[in-house]
Amino acid sequence: MKSEDAVSQKKPGGLKFDRRTFIKLSALTGAAIGAGQVLGPAITHSSDPVPPGAAAPLDEKWINTSCINCPARCAIKVRVTGGKAVKITGNPLSRVSEGKVCPRAYVGLQVLYDQGRINSPLKRTNAQKGKGVDPKWAPVSWEEALDEIVRRLQAIRQKEEPHKLLLFSGLNTRSSEDLIARFAEAYGTPNLVSGDALEAETLKAGNWMADGRYGDAAYDLDNTNYILAFGADILESSRPLARLLRKWGKMRREKPNRTKIVVINPRYSLTAAKADWWAPINPGTDAALAMALAHVIIRENLYDSAFVSRWTAGFDAYRKLALDEYSPEEVAKITGVDADDIRKMAREFAGTRPAIAIGGREAVDWTNGSYTAYAIACLNALVGSIDVPGGVIYQEGVKFSPLPGIAEDGIVKKGKSQPALDLRKTAKYPLAEVVTNQIPESLLKGEPYPVEMAIGFNSNFNMLAPGMEKWDEALGKIPFYVHIAPFVSEMAFAADLILPATTYLEEWAYDFSPPGSGFAELKLKQPVIPRRGKNRPIPEVIFEIAKKTGGVVANAFVGLGDNAEGFVKYRTASLLSWKEFVETGVWIGNDYEYRKYERLFATPSKKFEFYSGNMKALFAAKQLAAGDLSFLPHYAAPKFIGEASAFPLVLLPYQPLMVVENGSQNYPWAQEAFLPMCGVGWQVFAEMNTDTAKKLGLKNGGFVWVESAAGKIRAKVKFSEGIHPEVVAMATGQGHWSYGKWQTGIGVNPNEITGLDYDSLSGQSAFFNTRVKVYKA
Amino acid sequence: MPRWGMVIDLDKCVGCQACTVACKAENNVPHGSPEEQQERRDFFWNKMIAATSGRYPSVKTELIPMPCMHCDKAPCVTVCPAEATYRRADGIIVQDFRRCIGCKYCIVACPYGARNFNGKEQEEKEYSRHDLPPDRKSWGPWPFPTRTHGVVEKCTFCFHRIDQGLKEGKKIGTEVVPACVEACPSGARIFGDMDDPKSNVSRTLASRDSFQLREELSTHPKVYYLPK
């Protein structure tokens, strides 16, 4: 349906009249004459009731599917008319988000119809690699591309070195993740690297120390009366976001007790602006505050003694540590939070039950992050908010039809016995499941071994990781790099071969949300329109590569449905009928069951542990020497990168809501509403405390250099009353330099100047410990 | 005849701007560009403004989502020389693009900055809605899907939805609401008949403190805000 031009339309009366005619007419008849006089009273207003007339019924479909513009993976429905997707909204059957979605989901239309998408496999013809070097892409056929990949995969296997294949997984559907993991396993490489260690591993490690479960916590927000958010940007980058946005409304006004929300963060975030109390804190000192709260709660006997005595272990050691070392007066000196405020916060938190303490990025993305997360988890146990209504709850998993075992051959066994490139589970990162940012270091050093080939699935680590320049350099060192994604992201720019993947609106997949609701919920993805260009879904590519590679690799993918749709059917057959799943788009598990303490804790004592037996066992197994303090939540001063004398400020790269996390930012809707707290889009500021900026002689709105030991970037400075005096906040998500009209050349990426550092237990990257100086540009 | 109005609960609002983006998608409002924003030529039928006051650390930022206020005494209607903007019987202030001469008097007159001058020929995007409003297709292309440069545009309370809903006998305010109300994830917006004492909007206003923007101007806006 081509739409007509609104102004050159013939009136029903046959008079051709448009705006230009009107202006000419007005000029002739004199500007003073009003329009009514010129046109006469006979003109009808075009929004008046429509004269009766046959309107052709629309071909309209609503298709239930799910979003993946961020890892929350919300259930959505898409309106398709005339073969085009024209509207996205929430699927009301979803109980995770209650039918609501965040604005990122609406941007999906611009993701699908992005002009910057790749439409055919592309091969690099310029051997030189690097930022700003034109790869001179040449289109090749799928057959040619896949044959080359398979030839190389077979050659590596023939040399019996399957561990020299490196796989990167960015933001993928759960079904793609399952297939990628299976491919790694069947091929025989331990080197499957996700982006998890750029986000949330410290929180998982903290939970593991406390309750033995290495995973994110879920929160029963329906019933809680008090939230203490340590650095958690609940309304911007926490997950599952749509659920948090929905529940925020509920907590405030849809329950008898209005939930009080306290935000502890060096930055006056959007969340802080909407909360009841913003407590600015010295960067990286959240653990001290958490321990001081414990000090007050224990000293004043405000803790839940019934829960503590029955279901926790190690309380005496924790009690002694908190009482001896973390008095509000001492901690006030460390954190900058007033001692009276600490006492008030502790009394409110312990006195308002149920209450939850939530950890988030600004608190735990530090070198001491695991212990901070542990200290926050302990606060919840202290007030008995474990597996109770309104407390921390434990996410149920989805019981898929299981995947059959893989028949390993000698080559696979040999490959898998090699140490992983990212040094996970070694003495350097004893607790780590993955150490994303170790990869460039390992690649550059060729240790523990060099790689021969790498495949990236929707990954874009050289935009997301601190010290991103190392990634650019390391990716250039990979002998053959294949990138599979819908967009030429910065990471795709380093590829020797790009395979165009479908977006999530054109493919079959299943997905489930990160922990949030407690009960399990599975979501379907189904194509809403036919694939565009020569794109193929990732599962299809994996099936094909596996089949062509042959041997054990091919065997591992036999009987799994043969393609993306078949795989989803295979995995979900045990849950519900296919027809029902396609119609509803969601499957929901049983209601949540509280207080299942008997089978909850995976610790040596089978209780919640204030003194981590798991940690003690791990240290013993790895033969690491450590004192008792290593097994208790505690505060250790954060390690900063750069001297305070040369670099007096601390960089805080925060993530605003409108960062679409699929490797691209080429979406005008997301861009123009990018920084709501500043009221602008399309840019990024160096946000500084007004007094600090004035002392440095800066002018609001002027350009400055933000310089760290790693380099410097140029940005406009924005004076703010909502920033800790020693902090410079900058939004991430901008600074793209690869393809895309609406992203290239907009703003800068603060990750360009962050230094490389880790939480040494979990391998999670530290994001906030880079010192900087700011001066006029 | 109902009198449509909207209530925005600032206590529930999470500042996510789902309303802003949903409005653009619903009404084919063109997106801007960095240059247009710099020159303040980009436009929104529904936007969010941030008003900050106070000194560190006692700072306060109010995030206020703003559709058109649909004033009962609308200054934009009074000043329009072309009768292009007018108040419908149900209180919705509408802009007739075919009569608009782009003189911008209404933009100057509007105390809320709710009106935008469309200075560009609108590109048709693949995701643009080509179906709105369904029945008007046969009669003429008002006001969707295509607009042209040189007219003033504004929020319509998604009257196409209301009209269609009424025709289908649906309940306005529960079954049928404007796109921004439907999109709001925290449930901060309510829409309905201000003259119906049993409507959600009337009940909410009766039970809570509320304010209108620039009440002193006596424009009688039909968008009410509930403070935190």
Side-chain angles (χ1 to χ4, degrees):
Chain A
M1 266 187 266
K2 171 96 182 70
S3 29
E4 297 93 333
D5 186 348
V7 290
S8 60
Q9 188 67 12
K10 271 194 174 181
K11 293 293 297 177
L15 164 73
K16 188 177 182 323
F17 184 84
D18 64 21
R19 199 176 55 82
R20 284 190 192 88
T21 320
F22 170 79
I23 292 170
K24 277 186 217 152
L25 208 60
S26 330
L28 285 174
T29 51
I33 302 175
Q37 286 156 282
V38 176
L39 301 171
I43 292 283
T44 52
H45 279 303
S46 38
S47 77
D48 288 347
V50 182
L58 269 177
D59 94 86
E60 181 195 49
K61 274 184 297 184
W62 281 96
I63 298 173
N64 286 324
T65 180
S66 53
C67 181
I68 192 162
N69 281 342
C70 87
R73 302 149 198 270
C74 295
I76 55 174
K77 48 180 193 166
V78 182
R79 181 170 184 263
V80 180
T81 69
K84 302 232 167 111
V86 296
K87 173 91 182 169
I88 293 177
T89 177
N91 181 344
L93 298 172
S94 164
R95 278 176 54 197
V96 168
S97 62
E98 296 180 350
K100 295 299 183 182
V101 283
C102 80
R104 271 184 239 183
Y106 297 106
V107 175
L109 298 173
Q110 294 186 331
V111 176
L112 176 63
Y113 294 118
D114 188 348
Q115 296 290 317
R117 281 181 62 181
I118 326 160
N119 289 316
S120 136
L122 300 173
K123 198 172 159 60
R124 171 184 289 274
T125 57
N126 184 357
Q128 210 194 334
K129 286 184 187 178
K131 197 171 170 175
V133 181
D134 183 2
K136 302 216 167 83
W137 300 119
V140 290
S141 72
W142 270 99
E143 282 58 47
E144 211 179 314
L146 292 179
D147 284 348
E148 175 156 18
I149 294 169
V150 169
R151 205 172 58 240
R152 286 175 187 268
L153 286 173
Q154 285 170 334
I156 297 170
R157 256 184 75 81
Q158 256 155 28
K159 282 195 273 179
E160 305 203 349
E161 291 174 332
H163 55 282
K164 293 194 173 172
L165 172 69
L166 171 59
L167 302 173
F168 299 114
S169 175
L171 181 55
N172 289 299
T173 60
R174 304 286 184 188
S175 46
S176 289
E177 279 175 4
D178 286 349
L179 287 167
I180 295 166
R182 189 168 177 86
F183 181 78
E185 220 169 295
Y187 188 80
T189 177
N191 295 313
L192 168 55
V193 176
S194 72
D196 282 1
L198 300 177
E199 293 158 11
E201 294 299 289
T202 40
L203 283 172
K204 294 181 195 168
N207 290 337
W208 177 81
M209 286 190 247
D211 57 31
R213 291 167 163 240
Y214 192 88
D216 288 312
Y219 305 100
D220 187 17
L221 300 179
D222 280 313
N223 301 307
T224 197
N225 288 331
Y226 195 90
I227 289 181
L228 200 52
F230 289 89
D233 297 331
I234 299 172
L235 301 179
E236 292 153 286
S237 57
S238 292
R239 292 159 192 165
L241 185 65
R243 179 179 180 80
L244 297 171
L245 301 181
R246 173 74 202 100
K247 292 302 175 191
W248 190 283
K250 271 202 158 168
M251 289 190 289
R252 300 306 233 170
R253 287 286 175 184
E254 290 174 37
K255 60 200 265 297
N257 291 336
R258 183 173 186 277
T259 307
K260 181 163 183 180
I261 301 168
V262 179
V263 170
I264 298 150
N265 196 323
R267 175 177 72 96
Y268 187 65
S269 61
L270 176 60
T271 316
K274 288 291 175 185
D276 300 283
W277 180 3
W278 172 50
I281 186 169
N282 290 340
T285 62
D286 296 67
L289 180 62
M291 292 304 289
L293 296 177
H295 174 105
V296 178
I297 292 169
I298 294 169
R299 163 150 301 196
E300 301 186 3
N301 217 9
L302 300 171
Y303 62 94
D304 184 336
S305 53
F307 178 80
V308 168
S309 59
R310 177 66 187 90
W311 289 112
T312 70
F315 181 65
D316 291 339
Y318 172 70
R319 177 176 196 269
K320 184 170 185 322
L321 180 69
L323 290 181
D324 288 357
E325 313 256 333
Y326 296 98
S327 72
E329 277 68 28
E330 282 304 309
V331 169
K333 282 181 223 156
I334 299 169
T335 59
V337 181
D338 188 69
D340 284 338
D341 281 350
I342 295 175
R343 274 187 282 266
K344 178 169 177 250
M345 211 182 276
R347 286 168 195 154
E348 281 185 5
F349 177 69
T352 318
R353 302 221 182 134
I356 309 178
I358 300 180
R361 290 185 181 178
E362 275 92 333
V364 301
D365 282 12
W366 290 88
T367 49
N368 56 1
S370 290
Y371 286 109
T372 308
Y374 187 17
I376 294 166
C378 288
L379 286 179
N380 287 316
L382 211 51
V383 297
S385 282
I386 302 290
D387 213 27
V388 291
V392 175
I393 52 177
Y394 292 80
Q395 184 68 37
E396 307 272 355
V398 179
K399 288 195 177 59
F400 290 106
S401 304
L403 292 166
I406 293 168
E408 297 180 347
D409 62 3
I411 302 174
V412 172
K413 282 187 186 132
K414 194 177 159 198
K416 278 202 215 161
S417 66
Q418 297 286 329
L421 272 179
D422 62 3
L423 310 181
R424 62 185 75 156
K425 304 267 184 228
T426 60
K428 192 171 177 194
Y429 310 109
L431 191 47
E433 295 287 324
V434 60
V435 193
T436 316
N437 227 10
Q438 173 64 32
I439 292 295
E441 286 184 63
S442 296
L443 286 177
L444 289 170
K445 283 190 197 147
E447 282 172 0
Y449 42 80
V451 303
E452 297 237 332
M453 178 172 170
I455 306 177
F457 299 90
N458 279 325
S459 48
N460 200 20
F461 298 149
N462 53 342
M463 272 301 285
L464 303 175
M468 53 191 257
E469 247 167 48
K470 272 227 156 128
W471 275 96
D472 293 336
E473 204 185 324
L475 289 170
K477 290 263 158 61
I478 301 173
F480 193 72
Y481 177 48
V482 183
H483 192 88
I484 311 182
F487 318 100
V488 186
S489 64
E490 284 67 23
M491 199 154 165
F493 219 74
D496 294 280
L497 196 56
I498 302 182
L499 303 180
T502 48
T503 63
Y504 63 94
L505 292 171
E506 304 155 281
E507 64 188 33
W508 290 97
Y510 55 76
D511 245 324
F512 50 87
S513 295
S517 56
F519 54 82
E521 180 171 302
L522 189 69
K523 288 131 195 181
L524 179 70
K525 279 191 172 58
Q526 53 179 321
V528 300
I529 60 162
R531 304 173 190 174
R532 293 163 62 75
K534 290 182 190 155
N535 309 309
R536 292 188 186 181
I538 283 174
E540 197 176 288
V541 177
I542 295 174
F543 271 110
E544 197 148 342
I545 290 177
K547 198 158 89 186
K548 287 186 170 175
T549 307
V552 286
V553 186
N555 287 340
F557 287 85
V558 172
L560 299 184
D562 293 324
N563 57 35
E565 185 182 353
F567 183 65
V568 180
K569 276 187 191 162
Y570 170 86
R571 288 281 273 168
T572 57
S574 57
L575 300 168
L576 77 173
S577 81
W578 182 246
K579 189 168 166 276
E580 199 187 336
F581 202 18
V582 168
E583 273 167 20
T584 60
V586 290
W587 168 87
I588 295 164
N590 294 335
D591 279 352
Y592 192 74
E593 188 193 328
Y594 297 102
R595 295 190 181 88
K596 29 184 198 307
Y597 298 130
E598 278 85 7
R599 50 198 160 90
L600 201 57
F601 304 113
T603 52
S605 62
K606 301 285 169 219
K607 291 177 180 174
F608 184 100
E609 293 188 348
F610 290 108
Y611 178 95
S612 179
N614 276 332
M615 197 67 181
K616 201 166 183 178
L618 178 77
F619 271 49
K622 302 270 176 204
Q623 295 175 341
L624 296 165
D628 265 355
L629 198 57
S630 300
F631 315 128
L632 284 161
H634 66 275
Y635 165 74
K639 266 194 316 195
F640 284 98
I641 298 171
E643 287 301 317
S645 52
F647 302 103
L649 302 167
V650 177
L651 182 67
L652 193 155
Y654 68 97
Q655 190 196 352
L657 190 150
M658 275 300 191
V659 175
V660 179
E661 296 179 57
N662 64 12
S664 183
Q665 185 66 19
N666 195 34
Y667 315 115
W669 284 339
Q671 287 281 11
E672 64 186 355
F674 192 65
L675 295 176
M677 291 292 280
C678 304
V680 292
W682 304 103
Q683 53 184 320
V684 43
F685 295 110
E687 296 164 37
M688 289 180 74
N689 186 290
T690 308
D691 288 343
T692 313
K694 279 188 183 155
K695 261 183 233 155
L696 292 171
L698 304 175
K699 223 177 81 191
N700 196 7
F703 277 99
V704 291
W705 287 107
V706 182
E707 183 174 340
S708 76
K712 59 178 183 177
I713 50 178
R714 190 168 171 269
K716 261 188 197 167
V717 67
K718 176 147 184 95
F719 289 12
S720 167
E721 298 298 333
I723 305 270
H724 188 284
E726 286 164 29
V727 168
V728 184
M730 291 185 82
T732 59
Q734 303 288 22
H736 284 269
W737 49 267
S738 84
Y739 285 15
K741 182 183 176 187
W742 303 114
Q743 68 181 25
T744 306
I746 293 168
V748 286
N749 184 349
N751 287 334
E752 281 183 40
I753 57 166
T754 45
L756 280 174
D757 217 334
Y758 308 88
D759 171 60
S760 56
L761 289 172
S762 66
Q764 144 113 33
S765 290
F767 271 85
F768 304 120
N769 65 341
T770 303
R771 290 193 160 278
V772 292
K773 63 179 171 185
V774 178
Y775 52 92
K776 216 169 127 194
Chain B
M1 181 56 83
R3 197 166 62 93
W4 304 118
M6 191 182 285
V7 173
I8 303 177
D9 188 341
L10 296 178
D11 200 13
K12 289 177 100 181
C13 171
V14 288
C16 69
Q17 307 181 87
C19 47
T20 300
V21 184
C23 171
K24 289 221 160 184
E26 173 77 17
N27 293 309
N28 290 342
V29 181
H31 65 73
S33 64
E35 297 73 36
E36 285 168 294
Q37 185 162 93
Q38 192 111 49
E39 295 162 22
R40 301 188 179 182
R41 284 191 289 115
D42 61 339
F43 61 95
F44 299 89
W45 288 11
N46 181 92
K47 67 183 170 201
M48 199 175 75
I49 57 166
T52 301
S53 59
R55 297 275 293 154
Y56 177 86
S58 313
V59 62
K60 188 164 177 54
T61 298
E62 290 282 3
L63 294 163
I64 303 171
M66 286 183 58
C68 168
M69 301 290 138
H70 294 278
C71 312
D72 277 341
K73 298 257 180 304
C76 56
V77 172
T78 317
V79 301
C80 180
E83 288 182 28
T85 193
Y86 61 99
R87 188 176 180 279
R88 292 201 333 176
D90 59 7
I92 297 179
I93 306 292
V94 194
Q95 183 79 4
D96 184 341
F97 298 150
R98 279 187 263 187
R99 299 188 64 136
C100 176
I101 55 170
C103 70
K104 304 184 190 170
Y105 282 7
C106 57
I107 296 183
V108 178
C110 174
Y112 306 103
R115 296 179 153 259
N116 302 273
F117 183 71
N118 183 355
K120 60 185 176 186
E121 213 63 60
Q122 184 166 331
E123 278 174 81
E124 197 177 338
K125 304 280 187 183
E126 283 183 278
Y127 53 79
S128 291
R129 298 188 60 175
H130 47 76
D131 60 307
L132 271 179
D135 271 358
R136 294 177 198 278
K137 193 79 198 165
S138 55
W139 184 70
W142 154 265
F144 315 94
T146 310
R147 292 180 295 276
T148 185
H149 72 275
V151 293
V152 171
E153 301 194 350
K154 66 180 287 294
C155 151
T156 67
F157 266 175
C158 287
F159 74 74
H160 56 282
R161 285 183 167 215
I162 300 172
D163 293 354
Q164 183 70 20
L166 285 173
K167 217 159 65 176
E168 290 170 9
K170 289 187 175 152
K171 288 204 183 78
I172 309 299
T174 47
E175 290 169 295
V176 174
V177 289
C180 55
V181 180
E182 180 186 87
C184 181
S186 62
R189 290 186 181 219
I190 317 171
F191 183 81
D193 182 2
M194 311 296 281
D195 285 349
D196 174 2
K198 285 192 210 124
S199 71
N200 253 347
V201 281
S202 303
R203 285 187 170 163
T204 310
L205 287 176
S207 71
R208 297 237 336 241
D209 231 10
S210 68
F211 67 90
Q212 295 150 299
L213 294 179
R214 299 199 156 180
E215 273 166 65
E216 73 282 6
L217 299 178
S218 300
T219 52
H220 301 291
K222 282 197 295 296
V223 175
Y224 289 78
Y225 293 89
L226 308 179
K228 210 156 108 172

